[in-house]
Amino acid sequence: KTKLAVFASGTGSNYDAIVEAIRTNQLDAELTILVCDNPNAKVIEKAKANGTPMFVFDPKQYVDKAMFETKIVEVLQEASVDLVILAGYMRLVGPTLLQHFEDRMINIHPSLLPAFPGLDAIGQAFDAGVKVSGVTIHFVDQGMDTGKIIAQEAVKIEENMTREALQQAIQKVEHHLYPQTIQQLISRGE
Ligand code: GAR
């Protein structure tokens, strides 16, 4: 089975969707480890409840990004990880980690890239008044949300839609598109 690592920094609703897809056999993979860069993240409680092994770290305890990414690489190699899934990992991946997992690391972003990269993509789309936004899944490269696009799905922004409603609509799409896209990559042998 393909061994996945999920990286998350916050709530972990995409982590949940991936766990659920594995449990219901919609995703033929094994979740070997959750990597979390925020010791206060909600996702940690979820992973504890599910029994997902975890590597939780505080970046402030390391001299620089190269140091904690070296540690992450060790952890991932130890777990024989095949594919790295960034799911709300709110940190730019550096060369140390990229070099080991190039073409084996994907990210989900809550906009139709290349529109609205970076932080608060949902707020950016809302403030811009666009009528369509959506979700993008892409390979990770050294840029900010710039890697090769694998999948996209549009979300219509209705008249009078609140920011919260838009966020809900986008997350709903994320929760089916991410497991489905991961499964397609696995089936294609990537
Ligand atoms: C998701 O909406 C994801 O697309 C976004 O963070 C959220 C994490 O939610 N990622 C980015 O903005 C990356 N630039 P979750 O913790 O509930 O899965």
Side-chain angles (χ1 to χ4, degrees):
K1 268 196 201 221
T2 303
K3 294 186 191 317
L4 308 180
V6 170
F7 283 39
S9 305
T11 310
S13 68
N14 282 284
Y15 156 83
D16 269 339
I18 290 164
V19 167
E20 186 60 12
I22 292 173
R23 196 183 65 77
T24 56
N25 298 318
Q26 296 173 68
L27 177 52
D28 185 25
E30 189 185 323
L31 178 48
T32 54
I33 191 148
L34 173 78
V35 174
C36 179
D37 64 342
N38 171 10
N40 301 313
K42 283 206 182 109
V43 69
I44 294 171
E45 291 311 312
K46 297 180 175 172
K48 268 188 197 148
N50 291 327
T52 307
M54 273 184 271
F55 173 61
V56 180
F57 69 100
D58 181 352
K60 291 196 285 289
Q61 308 287 315
Y62 292 81
V63 174
D64 57 17
K65 184 178 286 197
M67 294 297 271
F68 68 71
E69 288 197 342
T70 299
K71 177 69 191 169
I72 294 173
V73 169
E74 275 173 33
V75 168
L76 298 182
Q77 286 176 339
E78 184 79 12
S80 305
V81 167
D82 300 306
L83 186 61
V84 173
I85 311 292
L86 306 186
Y89 181 66
M90 302 310 277
R91 195 172 286 283
L92 201 58
V93 172
T96 308
L97 190 50
L98 252 186
Q99 149 191 322
H100 284 86
F101 287 90
E102 193 140 44
D103 300 324
R104 294 194 293 146
M105 189 184 300
I106 66 174
N107 181 45
I108 190 161
H109 185 78
S111 75
L112 292 176
L113 290 171
F116 312 125
L119 289 177
D120 191 22
I122 295 171
Q124 291 185 56
F126 190 83
D127 293 342
V130 294
K131 301 296 179 196
V132 179
S133 190
V135 175
T136 302
I137 294 164
H138 63 92
F139 285 107
V140 176
D141 66 10
Q142 69 292 337
M144 172 78 86
D145 304 318
T146 50
K148 182 171 178 276
I149 292 172
I150 306 165
Q152 287 187 310
E153 191 170 318
V155 171
K156 266 189 89 169
I157 304 177
E158 308 287 351
E159 214 62 50
N160 302 322
M161 203 174 193
T162 62
R163 189 183 287 244
E164 291 66 37
L166 175 59
Q167 176 164 350
Q168 273 182 19
I170 291 214
Q171 290 223 310
K172 190 167 171 224
V173 168
E174 291 190 333
H175 298 159
H176 77 82
L177 190 64
Y178 216 3
Q180 178 189 317
T181 304
I182 296 165
Q183 181 57 49
Q184 280 166 0
L185 283 177
I186 291 172
S187 305
R188 292 199 324 232
E190 285 189 28

